[in-house]
């Protein structure tokens, strides 16, 4: 994997390297990786599939919060946003369906 495509994932971090290698090769898998040890959980890796689906390029996504507030729109359910925020703030595991908008959608 070329060094410039890793984003902020340290080369010595084999766990993240394995995730990236395993899931990047799946055509139907779009994902972000974030650093849970830094305030507001900045995105440290963005898959190519995510870029294609969302319309954002990697540079526009990197270092933004994994809350993905930049993708919220008028129909994004506020209670779903609060569930995501609560889960991140409390390091809880949860599953929620949330409407995110592509870059070119308002």
């Amino acid at each position: 994997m070329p060094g410039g495509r890793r984003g902020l994932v340290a080369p010595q971090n084999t766990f993240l390297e394995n995730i990236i290698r395993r899931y990047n090769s799946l055509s139907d898998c779009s994902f972000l990786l974030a650093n849970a040890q830094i305030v507001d959980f900045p995105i440290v890796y963005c898959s190519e599939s995510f870029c294609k689906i969302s319309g954002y390029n990697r540079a526009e996504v990197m270092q933004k919060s994994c809350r993905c507030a930049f993708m919220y729109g008028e129909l994004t359910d506020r209670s779903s946003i609060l569930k995501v925020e609560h889960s991140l703030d409390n390091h809880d595991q949860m599953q929620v369906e949330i409407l995110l908008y592509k870059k070119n959608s308002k």
Side-chain angles (χ1 to χ4, degrees), residues 3-82:
R5 301 197 70 169
R6 260 191 222 111
L8 298 176
V9 177
Q12 69 272 16
N13 195 331
T14 57
F15 176 72
L16 293 179
E17 289 280 329
N18 287 336
I19 290 173
I20 291 168
R21 246 186 257 115
R22 177 176 293 158
Y23 292 102
N24 236 4
S25 63
L26 302 175
S27 61
D28 63 341
C29 189
S30 171
F31 65 97
L32 300 171
L33 294 177
N35 188 338
Q37 297 180 343
I38 299 177
V39 175
D40 210 26
F41 314 112
I43 296 169
V44 296
Y45 182 82
C46 171
S47 73
E48 193 62 39
S49 295
F50 179 87
C51 292
K52 287 178 186 174
I53 290 170
S54 69
Y56 289 94
N57 65 47
R58 189 168 275 119
E60 293 173 303
V61 174
M62 299 296 288
Q63 291 300 300
K64 291 195 184 301
S65 171
C66 72
R67 299 169 196 269
C68 293
F70 62 99
M71 296 180 75
Y72 297 166
E74 63 184 49
L75 297 178
T76 304
D77 181 54
R78 298 298 161 204
S79 67
S80 295
I81 293 171
L82 292 174

Side-chain angles (χ1 to χ4, degrees), residues 79-88 91-98:
S79 67
S80 295
I81 293 171
L82 292 174
K83 287 178 187 176
V84 169
E85 305 246 343
H86 181 267
S87 178
L88 290 170
H91 302 279
D92 292 335
Q93 183 178 13
M94 71 89 199
Q95 182 174 340
V96 64
E97 191 169 315
I98 189 165

